[in-house]
Amino acid sequence: MEQKDAYFMNDTTNQSINGKFLYYGFIAGSLQILQSQEELNQINVFPVRDKDTGTNLASTIRAVIDNIHPDKSYKKTIENIAEAALIGARGNSGIIFAQFLHGLSRETKNKQVITLQEFAESVKNSIPYMYEAISNPIEGTMLTVIREWSNFLSSKEDVAHDFKKVIVDSFSVLEKSLAETTKKLKALNKYGFVDAGAKGFVIFIQGVIGFITNRNIRDFAVERMETISLIHSEDIIDEELSFRYCTEAIIKEIRVSTGSLKQTLAKYGDSVVVAGSEHTCRIHVHTNHPATLFHKLKDAGTITFQKVDDMQRQQEIAGKRKWNIALVTDSTCDLSQDLIDFYQINVVPLNLNFGDKHYLDKITIQPEQFYDLLDSTPELPKTSQINERTFTNLYSHLASHYDAIISIHLTSHFSGTYANSVKAGERIQKEFKKPVHVIDSKNLSGALGLLVLKTAHYIEEGKVPEAIVKELNTDIDNARIFVSVKDLKYMIKGGRVSRPAGFIANFLGINPIISMNKEGKSLLFGKTFSQKGSLNKIFKHIEKITQGKSVWNYIVLHAHNLEGANKAEVKMFAITGKKPVSVVDISPVIGIHAGNGAISISLLLTN
């Protein structure tokens, strides 16, 4: 038997399928989706006209391609495909497709080889999995097309004898069902489009049919080696959003029913999907309050992964840009949300873990939830840097729309975030031929916030990127931050202060003042015997360093201590004669060590 014929276990009659046939058939369909991303993005108008269905489906199937390998066993292969798809699923369409694959996996017998009749039965039995995953199933979508395709397979008695013919014939059913989606959904009829997710499935099956028909593995292997990047739409999207954040997560060790999960999600938004099993599921919802939602879900199971896309910012990037230079920072940047929104700043969250529970800093956990958890856990949560892939995805999206990118991050001495941003920036600059400037602020929190705000002002003034970067080198030297720690127990928990030294300091009532040196390392600026004393010391030092210089702006920060922040604001107004640009709750990833009750003053001086 030739190599190309080995993927059917009995190719002379086409009566059975093994794992390798399934694997290569899936890859063939996936390549068709990867090559059709832009087409699918262009027609994406439901449930939200955000033109990302092609990108989401491509991201979902890339997770499978990148993480599985061919295996002779059909059962093992479909299980591996389903698991990888569920973990990597993105967007409404991606999660529904992953749930279809999950249904196939669950409804396939534990066999090395399955008959073609068994395949048709597993497809039919997977349909309820999709419908049950969706809070409000809508006909005229991917659901309808897959269901009608399944009905056709089940109705053909000769599927057991000539799989190739039946699958080829099924394509006309898919095309008819796809064409009818335009009439079934008002949103599609308005634009004269078919459903983008449904078309993605039809394109996928078209790729599978091409493999079944030709099965030229040698050419196929060469094609698969080609790198196909994710594509972002450049079209203007002008549609009012009901909910701002497209929110997804993976929950393991689930302690509530999937029905209960769907009810909870529906209270916070729409486009609700709960895919997977009773042990591990992936959720999808459009909401305005992801942090409140995840605080509600914290006891539902172990949240091991979260992803939140800001659809409002995506709209602005695509068609409502105020300036042609994109501004990026990380979540240790403390600025008010109003300023972040006005200047269209892209904030990338660091990761925060309370034991095995995962959160995105300032997105799926806000200070009010963070400090409640901080006081109720014996050990401090762990933080992790933003990886290179996250920056690569963001920068490729921004480079598709902006002329340049400036990205400013917390001190490189505290995190590898800056280094990962540099690597991603170099790659995107080479690929798109657009400048990507990545800057180590040598600071964090409010000081980083002021540097980002100053950069936003430079962009608003029309300065070119190179001039902005030059100005920032001086600004970085003029940024200051002082943190008055109220309770040392958080620094003791985190190992920043030894337990014996912490015990003595607490016994003596010592309150340290933390600052940053010129290299971006933390510095013990001073210590007093009360927070009031430490703040007075900070104010006296600020009076000294502002002699001969002016304060461009300052920020008052607090860790769940608004009363203390208000008093600090009054004192700073007396010193500077101006109001702070922001009074904000300090970033959770910074608050881990500063602890509940801390007060911080950040300022940016000018000569």
Side-chain angles (χ1 to χ4, degrees):
M1 185 180 294
E2 296 180 6
Q3 181 188 16
K4 72 174 185 177
D5 291 332
Y7 299 96
F8 281 114
M9 291 306 291
N10 185 346
D11 193 66
T12 58
T13 57
N14 288 352
Q15 289 182 350
S16 55
I17 311 173
N18 68 8
K20 285 190 174 181
F21 173 81
L22 174 66
Y23 172 82
Y24 284 108
F26 184 89
I27 297 297
S30 297
L31 285 172
Q32 287 295 310
I33 288 180
L34 286 170
Q35 293 164 351
S36 304
Q37 292 177 68
E38 182 59 28
E39 177 186 3
L40 296 173
N41 284 341
Q42 291 297 322
I43 64 172
N44 173 209
V45 297
F46 181 84
V48 176
R49 190 168 170 251
D50 49 8
K51 292 186 178 290
D52 63 356
T53 290
T55 305
N56 288 340
L57 280 172
S59 180
T60 302
I61 58 95
R62 277 294 295 268
V64 180
I65 294 174
D66 293 344
N67 290 287
I68 73 164
H69 303 282
D71 190 277
K72 290 181 181 180
S73 168
Y74 182 94
K75 177 65 171 178
K76 185 173 181 181
T77 301
I78 188 59
E79 285 181 339
N80 290 342
I81 288 174
E83 182 180 5
L86 183 65
I87 293 173
R90 179 168 178 164
N92 218 323
S93 56
I95 295 179
I96 292 172
F97 185 53
Q99 184 70 349
F100 168 67
L101 296 170
H102 170 69
L104 282 181
S105 172
R106 291 291 297 270
E107 294 300 324
T108 295
K109 296 176 182 178
N110 189 15
K111 298 169 69 174
Q112 291 278 103
V113 180
I114 68 166
T115 67
L116 304 177
Q117 190 66 48
E118 287 171 334
F119 172 78
E121 289 174 1
S122 69
V123 171
K124 180 179 179 180
N125 293 337
S126 70
I127 303 303
Y129 287 83
M130 293 191 300
Y131 278 84
E132 290 168 4
I134 302 171
S135 179
N136 182 30
I138 302 293
E139 294 300 335
T141 62
M142 181 189 284
L143 293 173
T144 306
V145 171
I146 297 178
R147 176 173 54 78
E148 293 182 348
W149 179 69
S150 169
N151 291 340
F152 175 81
L153 295 183
S154 299
S155 70
K156 305 300 288 184
E157 294 182 0
D158 54 349
V159 70
H161 306 293
D162 195 343
F163 181 70
K164 175 179 173 180
K165 181 181 184 304
V166 171
I167 290 296
V168 171
D169 289 347
S170 76
F171 194 69
S172 61
V173 174
L174 286 169
E175 288 184 309
K176 180 177 182 293
S177 181
L178 176 63
E180 290 173 351
T181 63
T182 306
K183 300 176 182 178
K184 291 178 178 177
L185 271 177
K186 184 178 179 181
L188 300 178
N189 196 33
K190 176 182 177 182
Y191 295 97
F193 292 156
V194 296
D195 181 69
K199 183 160 188 176
F201 182 77
V202 173
I203 288 172
F204 176 81
I205 297 299
Q206 186 176 26
V208 175
I209 290 173
F211 169 65
I212 294 172
T213 303
N214 300 318
R215 278 184 283 153
N216 193 332
I217 302 304
R218 188 169 299 174
D219 291 346
F220 177 72
V222 172
E223 184 181 8
R224 192 196 165 200
M225 291 302 292
E226 297 177 357
T227 300
I228 305 177
S229 300
L230 299 182
I231 296 173
H232 304 281
S233 173
E234 296 185 24
D235 278 6
I236 294 175
I237 305 164
D238 188 14
E239 183 174 289
E240 186 175 349
L241 295 171
S242 299
F243 297 98
R244 178 169 179 169
Y245 299 101
C246 178
T247 304
E248 298 176 18
I250 292 177
I251 307 178
K252 296 185 175 181
E253 301 170 359
I254 302 169
R255 293 185 283 273
V256 298
S257 68
T258 55
S260 176
L261 266 180
K262 283 191 285 187
Q263 288 177 1
T264 299
L265 296 175
K267 292 177 181 177
Y268 289 89
D270 65 9
S271 296
V272 172
V273 183
V274 178
S277 67
E278 63 275 12
H279 304 294
T280 300
C281 74
R282 187 172 186 119
I283 63 171
H284 173 281
V285 61
H286 292 169
T287 181
N288 286 327
H289 306 288
T292 306
L293 170 62
F294 281 107
H295 191 65
K296 180 72 174 179
L297 292 177
K298 64 183 175 64
D299 296 323
T302 302
I303 302 171
T304 61
F305 166 83
Q306 296 174 357
K307 181 183 76 67
V308 178
D309 291 331
D310 186 339
M311 295 186 289
Q312 176 179 304
R313 189 70 78 245
Q314 288 174 344
Q315 275 194 351
E316 292 168 349
I317 291 169
K320 299 179 180 179
R321 301 178 296 279
K322 292 182 177 180
W323 303 282
N324 290 323
I325 301 174
L327 182 54
V328 180
T329 188
D330 57 69
S331 61
T332 65
C333 168
D334 283 322
L335 274 176
S336 70
Q337 189 63 45
D338 287 345
L339 286 171
I340 290 170
D341 285 343
F342 179 82
Y343 287 105
Q344 297 181 340
I345 301 167
N346 298 276
V347 182
V348 188
L350 272 74
N351 299 290
L352 191 63
N353 294 286
F354 277 89
D356 52 10
K357 287 184 171 65
H358 172 76
Y359 295 96
L360 299 174
D361 183 35
K362 284 203 274 195
I363 295 181
T364 60
I365 187 167
Q366 293 287 354
E368 54 265 32
Q369 293 102 20
F370 169 78
Y371 290 112
D372 287 343
L373 287 173
L374 186 65
D375 284 338
S376 63
T377 54
E379 299 295 330
L380 281 186
K382 305 293 184 184
T383 61
S384 59
Q385 63 197 26
I386 303 164
N387 61 40
E388 183 181 344
R389 177 179 288 185
T390 299
F391 283 120
T392 300
N393 289 340
L394 174 61
Y395 293 162
S396 66
H397 186 33
L398 295 174
S400 298
H401 299 89
Y402 288 88
D403 296 336
I405 300 169
I406 297 176
S407 193
I408 312 171
H409 298 293
L410 81 160
T411 172
S412 57
H413 287 286
F414 279 19
S415 170
T417 292
Y418 166 74
N420 289 334
S421 182
V422 168
K423 292 176 186 176
E426 290 172 348
R427 176 179 174 182
I428 296 305
Q429 181 167 284
K430 184 177 180 180
E431 181 178 341
F432 285 84
K433 309 301 181 187
K434 293 182 178 180
V436 181
H437 299 279
V438 181
I439 297 166
D440 181 353
S441 73
K442 299 178 182 178
N443 258 293
L444 72 171
S445 188
L448 172 57
L450 289 168
L451 291 168
V452 169
L453 183 61
K454 191 71 177 291
T455 304
H457 283 213
Y458 289 143
I459 293 172
E460 187 178 29
E461 291 166 7
K463 291 182 182 290
V464 298
E466 293 73 18
I468 294 173
V469 172
K470 185 177 179 180
E471 295 273 12
L472 274 173
N473 289 329
T474 301
D475 292 328
I476 288 171
D477 288 338
N478 285 325
R480 303 286 188 274
I481 182 170
F482 305 99
V483 183
S484 169
V485 177
K486 186 176 183 180
D487 192 333
L488 274 174
K489 72 178 181 180
Y490 304 99
M491 301 189 78
I492 296 170
K493 275 186 181 183
R496 297 296 176 100
V497 175
S498 70
R499 290 188 179 277
F503 175 80
I504 295 171
N506 275 332
F507 179 77
L508 295 175
I510 294 175
N511 289 81
I513 303 169
I514 309 299
S515 187
M516 304 290 294
N517 65 17
K518 293 290 185 180
E519 288 74 40
K521 297 179 180 179
S522 59
L523 171 72
L524 180 61
F525 174 75
K527 50 186 181 291
T528 63
F529 291 98
S530 69
Q531 187 173 51
K532 182 179 179 180
S534 66
L535 285 170
N536 286 335
K537 189 167 186 174
I538 290 172
F539 296 139
K540 286 180 181 179
H541 183 70
I542 290 174
E543 288 175 336
K544 180 180 178 181
I545 63 175
T546 54
Q547 291 179 6
K549 291 189 174 185
S550 61
V551 175
W552 177 76
N553 252 318
Y554 69 95
I555 297 176
V556 177
L557 306 110
H558 64 96
H560 236 31
N561 187 359
L562 184 58
E563 182 181 354
N566 290 336
K567 291 179 180 178
E569 179 184 356
V570 171
K571 183 64 178 178
M572 284 297 296
F573 181 78
I575 296 171
T576 65
K578 60 170 62 178
K579 288 280 189 178
V581 68
S582 292
V583 177
V584 295
D585 224 329
I586 203 165
S587 165
V589 296
I590 306 303
I592 287 173
H593 302 292
N596 215 335
I599 298 290
S600 174
I601 309 294
S602 296
L603 61 158
L604 184 58
L605 305 174
T606 58
N607 294 323

